[in-house]
């Protein structure tokens, strides 16, 4: 249900489960395997996540699977027993056949939920840049998967994006409450999740849920252009930046500053960063000796550096 296409350092991943492009445990397993291979792959610098289904990125997670997992549970879970079930599922990871035994006992849905969170966590922790190209409807689990990407581009059209889970009596389960709060703030996150009403691409851009709107016909070209530009960034710096923002931004200021400091020291110690800073200083000295105006020099060079960095990383 997923297929991939490589173009140099960019890997495009197409979700392909027509007609609604529901997320399923099968797709999440395939994404888990893909992320495992990417963690051993230094040649990939950016990943585009998009859909092979016309005008649908992801409708939502397959509700039939969620219902099946809920009905298989022998008891109605309370908050405390739900926490215990998650703890048991984590412990079962360390036992051969443990998850299979839990599935037979009716707790397979807990493992599926944890797998979803693990996929999203690994995307956020990766040294690759993830670009979401949202070509249409993006609801529920699809919105959460997009929120786990670093850059979100959405086609401008009669599409919807949001978290409608509360309309069937549940809450987002793929990280939506936490990711939306961190992206939009508590007030907007609460409104979106409590109302359950999807919003338009234009509204999503205005509140910061997506970064840019693109004409449908130009979406993939824009995604490839963005991925190609960001693929030229240092992987060490990308990973450190994602830790500082995603992890540090959720901690106290002092803890966040500590994560930033460690990332700064780590990245500045690399040979490629030192080569880039040396090259930058050499170019500045050339300006000073030639008498060229520094502001003009920066205005001319900066766009080229943005597209390709000062050196090749």
């Amino acid at each position: 249900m997923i297929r991939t296409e490589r173009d140099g350092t960019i890997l495009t991943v197409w979700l392909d489960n027509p007609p609604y492009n529901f997320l399923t445990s099968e797709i999440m397993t395939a994404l888990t395997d893909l992320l495992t291979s990417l963690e051993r792959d230094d040649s990939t610098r950016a990943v585009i996540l998009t859909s092979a289904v016309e005008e649908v990125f992801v409708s939502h997670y397959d509700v039939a699977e969620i219902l099946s997992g809920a009905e298989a549970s022998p008891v109605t879970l309370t908050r405390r027993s739900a926490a215990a079930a998650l703890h048991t599922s984590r412990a079962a990871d360390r036992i051969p056949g443990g998850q299979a035994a839990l599935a037979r006992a009716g707790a397979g849905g807990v493992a599926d939920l944890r797998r979803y969170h693990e996929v999203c966590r690994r995307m956020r922790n990766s040294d690759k840049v993830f670009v979401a190209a949202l070509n249409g409807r993006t609801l529920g689990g699809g919105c959460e998967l997009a929120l786990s990407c670093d850059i979100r581009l959405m086609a401008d059209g009669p599409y919807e994006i949001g978290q409608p889970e509360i309309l069937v009596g549940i809450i987002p389960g793929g990280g939506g409450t936490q990711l939306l709060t961190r992206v939009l703030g508590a007030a907007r996150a609460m409104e979106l999740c409590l109302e359950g009403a999807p919003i338009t691409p234009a509204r999503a851009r205005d509140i910061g849920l997506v970064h840019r709107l693109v004409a449908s016909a130009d979406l993939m070209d824009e995604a490839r252009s963005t991925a190609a530009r960001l693929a030229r960034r240092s992987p060490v710096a990308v990973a450190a930046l994602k830790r500082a923002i995603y992890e540090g931004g959720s901690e106290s200021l002092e803890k966040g500053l500590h994560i930033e400091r460690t990332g700064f020291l780590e990245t500045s110690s690399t040979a490629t960063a030192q080569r880039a800073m040396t090259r930058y200083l050499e170019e500045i000295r050339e300006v000073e000796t030639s008498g060229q105006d520094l502001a003009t020099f920066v205005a001319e060079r900066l766009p080229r550096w943005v597209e390709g960095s000062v050196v090749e990383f």
Side-chain angles (χ1 to χ4, degrees):
M1 292 183 179
I2 69 171
R3 54 187 175 86
T4 61
E5 175 185 328
R6 177 174 294 282
D7 181 11
T9 59
I10 302 169
L11 185 71
T12 301
V13 180
W14 306 81
L15 302 176
D16 193 5
N17 185 21
Y20 306 114
N21 231 24
F22 290 148
L23 291 178
T24 64
S25 58
E26 181 180 352
I27 290 177
M28 300 314 295
T29 298
L31 288 175
T32 297
D33 294 341
L34 177 67
L35 286 165
T36 298
S37 69
L38 284 173
E39 287 165 0
R40 300 190 297 262
D41 177 11
D42 293 334
S43 64
T44 299
R45 296 289 190 86
V47 178
I48 300 172
L49 186 61
T50 191
S51 165
V53 180
E54 188 174 354
E55 298 191 327
V56 179
F57 176 65
V58 171
S59 289
H60 47 70
Y61 200 94
D62 190 345
V63 174
E65 277 198 17
I66 299 174
L67 179 60
S68 176
E71 290 178 334
S73 176
V75 296
T76 298
L77 297 176
T78 63
R79 182 169 55 181
R80 178 171 295 182
S81 59
L86 288 166
H87 177 77
T88 301
S89 180
R90 285 192 295 270
D93 289 341
R94 300 189 292 270
I95 304 171
Q99 290 299 341
L102 284 180
R104 290 192 296 272
V110 179
D112 290 340
L113 180 61
R114 291 181 54 239
R115 183 186 301 113
Y116 192 109
H117 279 232
E118 182 66 7
V119 164
C120 294
R121 183 193 67 80
R122 290 169 73 180
M123 289 168 61
R124 293 193 298 274
N125 289 358
S126 173
D127 63 356
K128 286 64 162 123
V129 176
F130 280 79
V131 178
L134 311 177
N135 61 308
R137 184 185 313 126
T138 305
L139 298 174
C143 185
E144 291 163 319
L145 195 62
L147 283 165
S148 298
C149 292
D150 307 303
I151 301 294
R152 291 174 291 281
L153 311 178
M154 190 167 190
D156 191 6
Y159 310 126
E160 317 89 25
I161 182 170
Q163 304 283 167
E165 289 87 349
I166 199 166
L167 302 180
V168 293
I170 61 177
I171 71 170
T177 61
Q178 301 308 296
L179 296 173
L180 282 173
T181 298
R182 286 157 173 76
V183 170
L184 305 180
R188 289 200 190 281
M190 180 62 78
E191 182 182 31
L192 279 175
C193 294
L194 195 56
E195 290 281 3
I199 60 177
T200 65
R203 177 64 175 159
R205 177 205 52 204
D206 291 345
I207 66 175
L209 180 53
V210 300
H211 294 90
R212 299 196 297 276
L213 292 191
V214 185
S216 293
D218 300 329
L219 179 64
M220 288 310 298
D221 285 343
E222 180 68 15
R224 292 186 186 100
S225 174
T226 300
R229 181 171 63 254
L230 299 182
R232 299 186 183 102
R233 306 298 188 249
S234 159
V236 176
V238 167
L241 187 64
K242 289 167 76 164
R243 280 196 304 274
I245 292 174
Y246 294 144
E247 182 182 342
S250 303
E251 299 284 353
S252 67
L253 178 59
E254 189 53 41
K255 179 66 180 295
L257 289 172
H258 172 73
I259 294 172
E260 181 187 278
R261 287 192 294 269
T262 59
F264 177 83
L265 293 172
E266 176 193 14
T267 55
S268 61
S269 71
T270 63
T272 50
Q274 291 173 17
R275 190 170 71 249
M277 289 186 283
T278 298
R279 180 57 189 149
Y280 172 77
L281 290 174
E282 288 171 349
E283 295 196 15
I284 292 298
R285 292 190 191 103
E286 291 171 9
V287 174
E288 292 173 342
T289 57
S290 68
Q292 182 183 1
D293 178 66
L294 183 59
T296 302
F297 167 81
V298 172
E300 291 175 351
R301 297 293 177 92
L302 190 58
R304 296 213 303 268
W305 292 337
V306 168
E307 289 299 321
S309 298
V310 179
V311 299
E312 183 176 343
F313 287 100

